Amino acid sequence: MDDTSKTKQTALHSLHIELGAKMVPFAGYDMPVQYPAGIMKEHLHTREAVGLFDVSHMGQVIISGDGTDKAIETLIPGDIQALKPGQMRYSFLTNEAGGILDDLIVTQREDDLFVVVNADCKEQDIKILTDGLAGMATVTELNDRALVALQGPKAVDILKKFNPAVADMPFMTFRELDILGVPCFITRSGYTGEDGFEISIPNEKAVEISQAFLSEDGVEPIGLGARDSLRLEAGLCLYGHDLTDKITPVSGGLLWAISKRRREEGGFPGADVILEQIANKPDVKRVGILPEGRAPAREHTEIADMDGNIVGEVTSGGFSPSLQKPIAMGYVPLALSAVGTDIQLVVRGKFKAAKVVKMPFVEQRYYRG
Amino acid sequence: MSIKFTKDHEWVSIDGDIATVGISDYAQEQLGDVVFVEVPDVGRDLSKGDELAVVESVKAASEVYAPISGEVIEVNSELEDAPSKVNEDAFGEGWFAKIKFSNADETAEMMDEDAYKTYIEGLS
């Protein structure tokens, strides 16, 4: 941020300061990158117990109107018509070239859609949705709500103390339930690979509810630093890095998010490009990468074949606290994308051995019911 | 033997014409958990300000610059397997390299411990 005076604050800002967080500008917000425990401990704690994350910087949007599910399918390749109330789906806005403009989560509620988008893309997405659905649906950003995530193998044990109904919710479902008497939007979802929940809370109750979570045994606050290392271990993409407007869902390995019906019918931006790539394979593919040795290969590290030709780039890379070794993901030509392929990484001018590996790096532990 | 500090948060311990170099406690705290340290090759000639080492935390890589010109005569190879020594014992087992320095004048602009303390207080 060049102008910190314009940096926005979430409803939990004062709590972060009170907890001793190190604050950094992120997507226009002053956000906690870590608390005094540090990224390593915060990461491992989330894998063992429960982490509380403030993700209020993300955009929460309601789309309402008759036939909204059908209308939104003109903007995203997700199968929204197939969703029953209470079900949710990962999808993405695409452009005419088949590139990804943002990834998002769409939840079918009784009478409308609840959509969560990336902080950095909020304005763009709301404009695309508003313009694209003009005359068909109303798009409203929920500026009055905070969003927190409770993530980890014991998240359900904590949250069910506040409302026992959450225990039966399968992964990727939504319910509107009271927490401490406050109506909240609760989804069983997250960005860590662990079981967990995201909870949308009216701003004025966000601190009270977060403090109540933190007062439970085993719940610790977790910053954006560990959020990033957790999602990388889980093999999950970060928009703007692993996914961009130049990358198609086919290259990005996100075909699982485009149903058979949507592939047959098309009708979303860039459908011709995407369907052609499905039929004939993309030129490049996103892969997991395990560097040899301990040196992390960061974003933008060049990827070379065994002859030393530069063939691609790391899009996310760091050190895995769970595995205690570096991990990365990046794009390579299709011919080098098979699991087990030997590649090289150019780290500070030196070629270092690495291998294409299967993702996730750490097993996902979602609750399927 | 005296210990001196640079504005870039390195410490330099001088013994004769040998300078042992590491990063300060303040620096390791700012970096967070150190997961990898790339130390220079023994025998390398460094000018003051050259890249001496790279310290990687979970989140990011940071360069450490040579606080003094000279030849690298020894490096802390223990850091390869135990980079967390930088966090645990920044002034001791977390040292990076020993430099046989060529120009003692370069230590003149470094700070003593009290001056460094005042310097970091001014940063927060």
Side-chain angles (χ1 to χ4, degrees), chain A residues 86-89 105 107 114 148-160 163-177 185-192 194-200 365-369:
Chain A
Q87 292 182 331
M88 54 198 283
R89 192 151 277 178
I105 301 266
T107 299
F114 172 48
V148 302
L150 271 181
Q151 299 281 298
K154 294 178 180 149
V156 63
D157 298 330
I158 300 300
L159 196 58
K160 76 181 184 195
N163 194 320
V166 301
D168 301 328
M169 292 173 63
F171 180 57
M172 293 303 271
T173 62
F174 166 96
R175 286 189 71 173
E176 219 167 320
L177 294 168
F185 306 162
I186 301 182
T187 63
R188 196 153 196 166
S189 66
Y191 194 44
T192 60
E194 296 295 331
D195 184 20
F197 300 86
E198 288 191 355
I199 305 148
S200 170
R365 297 193 282 188
Y366 304 132
Y367 178 74
R368 305 280 180 183

Side-chain angles (χ1 to χ4, degrees), chain A residues 67-88:
Chain A
T68 300
D69 52 348
K70 194 170 180 189
I72 199 176
E73 286 190 356
T74 61
L75 302 174
I76 65 175
D79 196 339
I80 306 306
Q81 294 187 64
L83 293 178
K84 298 188 185 83
Q87 292 182 331
M88 54 198 283

Side-chain angles (χ1 to χ4, degrees), chain A residues 11-324:
Chain A
L12 293 172
H13 191 268
S14 60
L15 182 61
H16 300 316
I17 303 292
E18 196 181 303
L19 292 167
K22 186 192 278 186
M23 305 297 287
V24 297
F26 181 81
Y29 287 80
D30 194 34
M31 296 297 287
V33 65
Q34 64 170 79
Y35 298 88
I39 296 174
M40 186 83 82
K41 285 207 181 81
E42 291 171 28
H43 179 116
L44 295 172
H45 181 85
T46 306
R47 291 264 180 258
E48 282 157 21
V50 191
L52 178 74
F53 302 72
D54 178 13
V55 290
S56 306
H57 56 311
M58 299 188 76
Q60 303 180 64
V61 177
I62 294 285
I63 305 177
S64 54
D66 286 338
T68 300
D69 52 348
K70 194 170 180 189
I72 199 176
E73 286 190 356
T74 61
L75 302 174
I76 65 175
D79 196 339
I80 306 306
Q81 294 187 64
L83 293 178
K84 298 188 185 83
Q87 292 182 331
M88 54 198 283
R89 192 151 277 178
Y90 172 79
S91 192
F92 20 82
L93 290 161
T94 46
N95 63 23
E96 289 303 329
I100 298 172
L101 293 169
D102 192 14
D103 58 349
L104 41 74
I105 301 266
V106 182
T107 299
Q108 176 74 60
R109 303 201 308 168
E110 281 299 333
D111 300 314
D112 54 28
L113 300 175
F114 172 48
V115 181
V116 176
V117 303
N118 280 304
D120 254 334
C121 303
K122 244 193 288 199
E123 274 177 38
Q124 166 205 269
D125 294 2
I126 289 168
K127 185 170 190 321
I128 293 170
L129 292 166
T130 306
D131 294 352
L133 301 175
M136 292 182 277
T138 312
V139 178
T140 315
E141 188 186 353
L142 302 178
N143 288 313
D144 55 350
R145 300 187 78 90
L147 190 65
V148 302
L150 271 181
Q151 299 281 298
K154 294 178 180 149
V156 63
D157 298 330
I158 300 300
L159 196 58
K160 76 181 184 195
K161 290 188 190 176
F162 292 84
N163 194 320
V166 301
D168 301 328
M169 292 173 63
F171 180 57
M172 293 303 271
T173 62
F174 166 96
R175 286 189 71 173
E176 219 167 320
L177 294 168
D178 282 3
I179 300 291
L180 298 175
V182 180
C184 295
F185 306 162
I186 301 182
T187 63
R188 196 153 196 166
S189 66
Y191 194 44
T192 60
E194 296 295 331
D195 184 20
F197 300 86
E198 288 191 355
I199 305 148
S200 170
I201 309 169
N203 276 336
E204 66 276 13
K205 295 289 182 186
V207 169
E208 181 191 332
I209 290 176
S210 298
Q211 275 174 330
F213 290 152
L214 288 170
S215 69
E216 295 287 332
D217 255 3
V219 183
E220 296 293 337
I222 311 295
L224 292 180
R227 181 170 155 85
D228 190 49
S229 52
L230 287 158
R231 70 92 197 167
L232 178 56
E233 283 184 355
L236 300 171
C237 292
L238 175 60
Y239 190 77
H241 302 260
D242 309 303
L243 303 176
T244 69
D245 61 355
K246 305 282 188 296
I247 291 168
T248 68
V250 192
S251 276
L254 303 175
L255 275 186
W256 54 271
I258 308 179
S259 71
K260 187 160 169 274
R261 178 180 69 82
R262 296 304 320 266
R263 292 182 203 191
E264 282 167 7
E265 294 176 7
F268 50 87
D272 49 341
V273 178
I274 292 169
L275 296 177
E276 190 276 331
Q277 282 192 2
I278 293 175
N280 299 318
K281 307 277 184 208
D283 295 339
V284 296
K285 256 193 95 176
R286 181 172 62 94
V287 294
I289 298 165
L290 203 58
E292 258 178 41
R294 282 187 67 100
R298 306 285 175 183
E299 184 178 4
H300 302 310
T301 298
E302 288 176 320
I303 303 172
D305 63 17
M306 296 314 284
D307 296 327
N309 306 304
I310 304 301
V311 293
E313 196 178 89
V314 168
T315 52
S316 282
F319 189 81
S320 160
S322 303
L323 304 176
Q324 287 292 308

Side-chain angles (χ1 to χ4, degrees), chain B residues 10-30:
Chain B
E10 293 120 341
W11 57 262
V12 179
S13 166
I14 309 282
D15 187 6
D17 60 353
I18 307 297
T20 306
V21 179
I23 62 168
S24 72
D25 223 32
Y26 173 85
Q28 68 79 15
E29 254 174 47
Q30 292 295 311

Side-chain angles (χ1 to χ4, degrees), chain B residues 88-121:
Chain B
E88 290 150 13
D89 191 10
F91 293 115
E93 290 185 16
W95 66 280
F96 287 10
K98 293 187 181 179
I99 298 172
K100 185 172 180 174
F101 59 89
S102 41
N103 182 0
D105 292 348
E106 286 176 354
T107 62
E109 55 202 71
M110 293 181 193
M111 294 170 268
D112 63 18
E113 198 167 351
D114 285 344
Y116 179 66
K117 251 186 204 157
T118 311
Y119 171 66
I120 55 179
E121 275 163 17

